[in-house]
mmCIF file of all heavy atoms in Angstrom:
data_model
loop_
_atom_site.group_PDB
_atom_site.id
_atom_site.type_symbol
_atom_site.label_atom_id
_atom_site.label_comp_id
_atom_site.label_asym_id
_atom_site.label_seq_id
_atom_site.Cartn_x
_atom_site.Cartn_y
_atom_site.Cartn_z
ATOM 1 N N ILE A 364 17.223 -24.576 22.286
ATOM 2 C CA ILE A 364 16.778 -25.357 21.137
ATOM 3 C C ILE A 364 15.433 -25.982 21.478
ATOM 4 O O ILE A 364 15.342 -26.781 22.410
ATOM 5 C CB ILE A 364 17.812 -26.435 20.764
ATOM 6 C CG1 ILE A 364 19.156 -25.778 20.454
ATOM 7 C CG2 ILE A 364 17.331 -27.272 19.594
ATOM 8 C CD1 ILE A 364 20.299 -26.723 20.257
ATOM 9 N N LEU A 365 14.410 -25.590 20.739
ATOM 10 C CA LEU A 365 13.054 -26.094 20.943
ATOM 11 C C LEU A 365 12.606 -25.960 22.398
ATOM 12 O O LEU A 365 11.994 -26.856 22.970
ATOM 13 C CB LEU A 365 12.940 -27.552 20.483
ATOM 14 C CG LEU A 365 13.245 -27.823 19.008
ATOM 15 C CD1 LEU A 365 13.262 -29.311 18.731
ATOM 16 C CD2 LEU A 365 12.250 -27.113 18.111
ATOM 17 N N GLY A 366 12.942 -24.841 23.017
ATOM 18 C CA GLY A 366 12.528 -24.571 24.388
ATOM 19 C C GLY A 366 13.404 -25.197 25.457
ATOM 20 O O GLY A 366 13.187 -24.955 26.640
ATOM 21 N N ASP A 367 14.394 -26.019 25.079
ATOM 22 C CA ASP A 367 15.304 -26.637 26.039
ATOM 23 C C ASP A 367 16.567 -25.793 26.173
ATOM 24 O O ASP A 367 17.074 -25.264 25.184
ATOM 25 C CB ASP A 367 15.708 -28.041 25.592
ATOM 26 C CG ASP A 367 14.581 -29.045 25.715
ATOM 27 O OD1 ASP A 367 13.658 -28.804 26.508
ATOM 28 O OD2 ASP A 367 14.641 -30.075 25.018
ATOM 29 N N ASN A 368 17.061 -25.684 27.405
ATOM 30 C CA ASN A 368 18.314 -24.983 27.661
ATOM 31 C C ASN A 368 19.444 -25.999 27.568
ATOM 32 O O ASN A 368 19.494 -26.961 28.330
ATOM 33 C CB ASN A 368 18.297 -24.341 29.038
ATOM 34 C CG ASN A 368 17.221 -23.301 29.152
ATOM 35 O OD1 ASN A 368 17.046 -22.495 28.247
ATOM 36 N ND2 ASN A 368 16.485 -23.314 30.242
ATOM 37 N N ILE A 369 20.321 -25.778 26.614
ATOM 38 C CA ILE A 369 21.417 -26.707 26.349
ATOM 39 C C ILE A 369 22.731 -25.930 26.343
ATOM 40 O O ILE A 369 22.808 -24.837 25.783
ATOM 41 C CB ILE A 369 21.212 -27.431 25.004
ATOM 42 C CG1 ILE A 369 19.942 -28.276 25.079
ATOM 43 C CG2 ILE A 369 22.409 -28.288 24.643
ATOM 44 C CD1 ILE A 369 19.550 -28.916 23.792
ATOM 45 N N ALA A 370 23.733 -26.513 26.966
ATOM 46 C CA ALA A 370 25.068 -25.924 26.957
ATOM 47 C C ALA A 370 26.012 -26.903 26.271
ATOM 48 O O ALA A 370 26.043 -28.083 26.607
ATOM 49 C CB ALA A 370 25.538 -25.636 28.367
ATOM 50 N N VAL A 371 26.766 -26.408 25.303
ATOM 51 C CA VAL A 371 27.735 -27.218 24.573
ATOM 52 C C VAL A 371 29.110 -26.658 24.909
ATOM 53 O O VAL A 371 29.376 -25.479 24.699
ATOM 54 C CB VAL A 371 27.477 -27.156 23.052
ATOM 55 C CG1 VAL A 371 28.549 -27.902 22.299
ATOM 56 C CG2 VAL A 371 26.099 -27.709 22.728
ATOM 57 N N VAL A 372 29.959 -27.513 25.454
ATOM 58 C CA VAL A 372 31.307 -27.087 25.849
ATOM 59 C C VAL A 372 32.284 -27.561 24.780
ATOM 60 O O VAL A 372 32.331 -28.751 24.455
ATOM 61 C CB VAL A 372 31.693 -27.666 27.222
ATOM 62 C CG1 VAL A 372 33.079 -27.189 27.627
ATOM 63 C CG2 VAL A 372 30.664 -27.284 28.281
ATOM 64 N N ILE A 373 33.023 -26.599 24.219
ATOM 65 C CA ILE A 373 34.028 -26.905 23.203
ATOM 66 C C ILE A 373 35.346 -26.260 23.585
ATOM 67 O O ILE A 373 35.388 -25.360 24.422
ATOM 68 C CB ILE A 373 33.600 -26.434 21.794
ATOM 69 C CG1 ILE A 373 33.480 -24.908 21.742
ATOM 70 C CG2 ILE A 373 32.324 -27.115 21.350
ATOM 71 C CD1 ILE A 373 33.324 -24.353 20.344
ATOM 72 N N GLU A 374 36.412 -26.729 22.962
ATOM 73 C CA GLU A 374 37.717 -26.091 23.084
ATOM 74 C C GLU A 374 37.970 -25.331 21.788
ATOM 75 O O GLU A 374 37.759 -25.881 20.712
ATOM 76 C CB GLU A 374 38.826 -27.129 23.243
ATOM 77 C CG GLU A 374 38.822 -27.855 24.540
ATOM 78 C CD GLU A 374 39.952 -28.857 24.581
ATOM 79 O OE1 GLU A 374 41.108 -28.430 24.754
ATOM 80 O OE2 GLU A 374 39.670 -30.043 24.429
ATOM 81 N N ALA A 375 38.387 -24.098 21.898
ATOM 82 C CA ALA A 375 38.657 -23.322 20.694
ATOM 83 C C ALA A 375 39.764 -22.316 20.968
ATOM 84 O O ALA A 375 39.886 -21.806 22.075
ATOM 85 C CB ALA A 375 37.391 -22.594 20.242
ATOM 86 N N ASP A 376 40.546 -22.049 19.941
ATOM 87 C CA ASP A 376 41.517 -20.969 20.067
ATOM 88 C C ASP A 376 40.806 -19.659 19.719
ATOM 89 O O ASP A 376 39.643 -19.641 19.321
ATOM 90 C CB ASP A 376 42.743 -21.223 19.196
ATOM 91 C CG ASP A 376 42.425 -21.326 17.715
ATOM 92 O OD1 ASP A 376 41.246 -21.196 17.335
ATOM 93 O OD2 ASP A 376 43.368 -21.543 16.937
ATOM 94 N N GLU A 377 41.504 -18.558 19.887
ATOM 95 C CA GLU A 377 40.891 -17.241 19.670
ATOM 96 C C GLU A 377 40.428 -17.054 18.224
ATOM 97 O O GLU A 377 39.392 -16.470 17.961
ATOM 98 C CB GLU A 377 41.878 -16.131 20.057
ATOM 99 C CG GLU A 377 42.165 -16.070 21.543
ATOM 100 C CD GLU A 377 40.929 -15.767 22.360
ATOM 101 O OE1 GLU A 377 40.091 -14.942 21.923
ATOM 102 O OE2 GLU A 377 40.789 -16.353 23.446
ATOM 103 N N LYS A 378 41.197 -17.584 17.289
ATOM 104 C CA LYS A 378 40.850 -17.429 15.875
ATOM 105 C C LYS A 378 39.544 -18.155 15.542
ATOM 106 O O LYS A 378 38.655 -17.585 14.894
ATOM 107 C CB LYS A 378 41.993 -17.975 15.012
ATOM 108 C CG LYS A 378 41.766 -17.846 13.535
ATOM 109 C CD LYS A 378 42.939 -18.423 12.765
ATOM 110 C CE LYS A 378 42.643 -18.422 11.279
ATOM 111 N NZ LYS A 378 43.679 -19.094 10.510
ATOM 112 N N PHE A 379 39.404 -19.405 15.992
ATOM 113 C CA PHE A 379 38.189 -20.169 15.706
ATOM 114 C C PHE A 379 36.989 -19.568 16.433
ATOM 115 O O PHE A 379 35.888 -19.495 15.880
ATOM 116 C CB PHE A 379 38.379 -21.636 16.093
ATOM 117 C CG PHE A 379 37.299 -22.538 15.568
ATOM 118 C CD1 PHE A 379 37.260 -22.873 14.227
ATOM 119 C CD2 PHE A 379 36.332 -23.061 16.412
ATOM 120 C CE1 PHE A 379 36.273 -23.708 13.732
ATOM 121 C CE2 PHE A 379 35.344 -23.894 15.928
ATOM 122 C CZ PHE A 379 35.312 -24.220 14.589
ATOM 123 N N LEU A 380 37.196 -19.105 17.656
ATOM 124 C CA LEU A 380 36.113 -18.470 18.408
ATOM 125 C C LEU A 380 35.647 -17.190 17.721
ATOM 126 O O LEU A 380 34.442 -16.932 17.631
ATOM 127 C CB LEU A 380 36.554 -18.175 19.837
ATOM 128 C CG LEU A 380 35.465 -17.655 20.751
ATOM 129 C CD1 LEU A 380 34.427 -18.731 21.003
ATOM 130 C CD2 LEU A 380 36.057 -17.172 22.047
ATOM 131 N N SER A 381 36.566 -16.406 17.206
ATOM 132 C CA SER A 381 36.172 -15.182 16.505
ATOM 133 C C SER A 381 35.410 -15.507 15.216
ATOM 134 O O SER A 381 34.493 -14.774 14.833
ATOM 135 C CB SER A 381 37.379 -14.297 16.213
ATOM 136 O OG SER A 381 38.248 -14.917 15.298
ATOM 137 N N LEU A 382 35.762 -16.611 14.556
ATOM 138 C CA LEU A 382 34.997 -17.042 13.373
ATOM 139 C C LEU A 382 33.556 -17.383 13.754
ATOM 140 O O LEU A 382 32.612 -16.998 13.053
ATOM 141 C CB LEU A 382 35.651 -18.252 12.718
ATOM 142 C CG LEU A 382 36.910 -18.015 11.912
ATOM 143 C CD1 LEU A 382 37.542 -19.336 11.507
ATOM 144 C CD2 LEU A 382 36.591 -17.182 10.685
ATOM 145 N N ILE A 383 33.384 -18.100 14.853
ATOM 146 C CA ILE A 383 32.032 -18.435 15.314
ATOM 147 C C ILE A 383 31.243 -17.157 15.597
ATOM 148 O O ILE A 383 30.102 -17.006 15.156
ATOM 149 C CB ILE A 383 32.081 -19.320 16.580
ATOM 150 C CG1 ILE A 383 32.666 -20.689 16.263
ATOM 151 C CG2 ILE A 383 30.678 -19.482 17.184
ATOM 152 C CD1 ILE A 383 32.920 -21.558 17.479
ATOM 153 N N GLU A 384 31.860 -16.234 16.319
ATOM 154 C CA GLU A 384 31.177 -14.984 16.662
ATOM 155 C C GLU A 384 30.849 -14.167 15.417
ATOM 156 O O GLU A 384 29.765 -13.577 15.319
ATOM 157 C CB GLU A 384 32.020 -14.174 17.641
ATOM 158 C CG GLU A 384 32.089 -14.815 19.008
ATOM 159 C CD GLU A 384 33.087 -14.148 19.935
ATOM 160 O OE1 GLU A 384 33.992 -13.417 19.445
ATOM 161 O OE2 GLU A 384 32.977 -14.366 21.158
ATOM 162 N N ASN A 385 31.762 -14.132 14.441
ATOM 163 C CA ASN A 385 31.496 -13.391 13.201
ATOM 164 C C ASN A 385 30.331 -13.996 12.427
ATOM 165 O O ASN A 385 29.461 -13.272 11.937
ATOM 166 C CB ASN A 385 32.744 -13.343 12.319
ATOM 167 C CG ASN A 385 33.813 -12.439 12.886
ATOM 168 O OD1 ASN A 385 33.535 -11.559 13.707
ATOM 169 N ND2 ASN A 385 35.040 -12.649 12.467
ATOM 170 N N TYR A 386 30.322 -15.318 12.301
ATOM 171 C CA TYR A 386 29.207 -15.968 11.603
ATOM 172 C C TYR A 386 27.895 -15.763 12.355
ATOM 173 O O TYR A 386 26.842 -15.623 11.739
ATOM 174 C CB TYR A 386 29.473 -17.458 11.393
ATOM 175 C CG TYR A 386 30.412 -17.752 10.242
ATOM 176 C CD1 TYR A 386 31.464 -18.633 10.385
ATOM 177 C CD2 TYR A 386 30.228 -17.157 9.002
ATOM 178 C CE1 TYR A 386 32.312 -18.911 9.330
ATOM 179 C CE2 TYR A 386 31.072 -17.434 7.944
ATOM 180 C CZ TYR A 386 32.108 -18.313 8.113
ATOM 181 O OH TYR A 386 32.944 -18.589 7.060
ATOM 182 N N MET A 387 27.951 -15.760 13.681
ATOM 183 C CA MET A 387 26.735 -15.491 14.459
ATOM 184 C C MET A 387 26.205 -14.099 14.160
ATOM 185 O O MET A 387 25.001 -13.908 13.981
ATOM 186 C CB MET A 387 27.017 -15.629 15.964
ATOM 187 C CG MET A 387 27.108 -17.046 16.455
ATOM 188 S SD MET A 387 27.590 -17.147 18.191
ATOM 189 C CE MET A 387 26.316 -16.186 18.979
ATOM 190 N N MET A 388 27.097 -13.114 14.101
ATOM 191 C CA MET A 388 26.683 -11.727 13.814
ATOM 192 C C MET A 388 26.130 -11.609 12.407
ATOM 193 O O MET A 388 25.123 -10.927 12.174
ATOM 194 C CB MET A 388 27.866 -10.775 14.004
ATOM 195 C CG MET A 388 28.294 -10.633 15.443
ATOM 196 S SD MET A 388 26.983 -10.076 16.530
ATOM 197 C CE MET A 388 26.808 -8.403 15.980
ATOM 198 N N ILE A 389 26.762 -12.270 11.446
ATOM 199 C CA ILE A 389 26.280 -12.230 10.061
ATOM 200 C C ILE A 389 24.884 -12.828 9.978
ATOM 201 O O ILE A 389 23.986 -12.258 9.358
ATOM 202 C CB ILE A 389 27.255 -12.972 9.113
ATOM 203 C CG1 ILE A 389 28.549 -12.185 8.994
ATOM 204 C CG2 ILE A 389 26.622 -13.210 7.752
ATOM 205 C CD1 ILE A 389 29.674 -12.940 8.301
ATOM 206 N N ASN A 390 24.673 -13.993 10.633
ATOM 207 C CA ASN A 390 23.355 -14.629 10.622
ATOM 208 C C ASN A 390 22.311 -13.771 11.318
ATOM 209 O O ASN A 390 21.162 -13.705 10.890
ATOM 210 C CB ASN A 390 23.409 -16.012 11.264
ATOM 211 C CG ASN A 390 24.103 -17.031 10.393
ATOM 212 O OD1 ASN A 390 24.175 -16.857 9.184
ATOM 213 N ND2 ASN A 390 24.604 -18.075 11.000
ATOM 214 N N LYS A 391 22.710 -13.108 12.393
ATOM 215 C CA LYS A 391 21.772 -12.258 13.133
ATOM 216 C C LYS A 391 21.381 -11.034 12.284
ATOM 217 O O LYS A 391 20.230 -10.628 12.255
ATOM 218 C CB LYS A 391 22.412 -11.809 14.456
ATOM 219 C CG LYS A 391 21.416 -11.266 15.448
ATOM 220 C CD LYS A 391 22.094 -10.898 16.744
ATOM 221 C CE LYS A 391 22.367 -12.171 17.526
ATOM 222 N NZ LYS A 391 22.865 -11.916 18.885
ATOM 223 N N ASN A 392 22.351 -10.457 11.587
ATOM 224 C CA ASN A 392 22.089 -9.257 10.782
ATOM 225 C C ASN A 392 21.271 -9.563 9.522
ATOM 226 O O ASN A 392 20.480 -8.747 9.077
ATOM 227 C CB ASN A 392 23.404 -8.575 10.391
ATOM 228 C CG ASN A 392 24.081 -7.956 11.583
ATOM 229 O OD1 ASN A 392 23.441 -7.649 12.592
ATOM 230 N ND2 ASN A 392 25.378 -7.768 11.488
ATOM 231 N N THR A 393 21.481 -10.740 8.934
ATOM 232 C CA THR A 393 20.750 -11.076 7.711
ATOM 233 C C THR A 393 19.429 -11.774 8.009
ATOM 234 O O THR A 393 18.633 -11.972 7.098
ATOM 235 C CB THR A 393 21.594 -11.997 6.796
ATOM 236 O OG1 THR A 393 21.896 -13.211 7.491
ATOM 237 C CG2 THR A 393 22.857 -11.304 6.341
ATOM 238 N N GLY A 394 19.224 -12.180 9.269
ATOM 239 C CA GLY A 394 17.982 -12.861 9.630
ATOM 240 C C GLY A 394 17.927 -14.270 9.105
ATOM 241 O O GLY A 394 16.862 -14.870 8.992
#
Side-chain angles (χ1 to χ4, degrees):
I364 302 172
L365 300 173
D367 288 337
N368 297 316
I369 297 174
V371 175
V372 181
I373 64 169
E374 290 180 75
D376 61 0
E377 292 298 321
K378 181 181 174 186
F379 192 74
L380 186 67
S381 66
L382 285 172
I383 293 172
E384 290 171 341
N385 289 339
Y386 282 133
M387 283 175 57
M388 291 303 290
I389 291 169
N390 287 337
K391 196 178 283 188
N392 291 337
T393 60

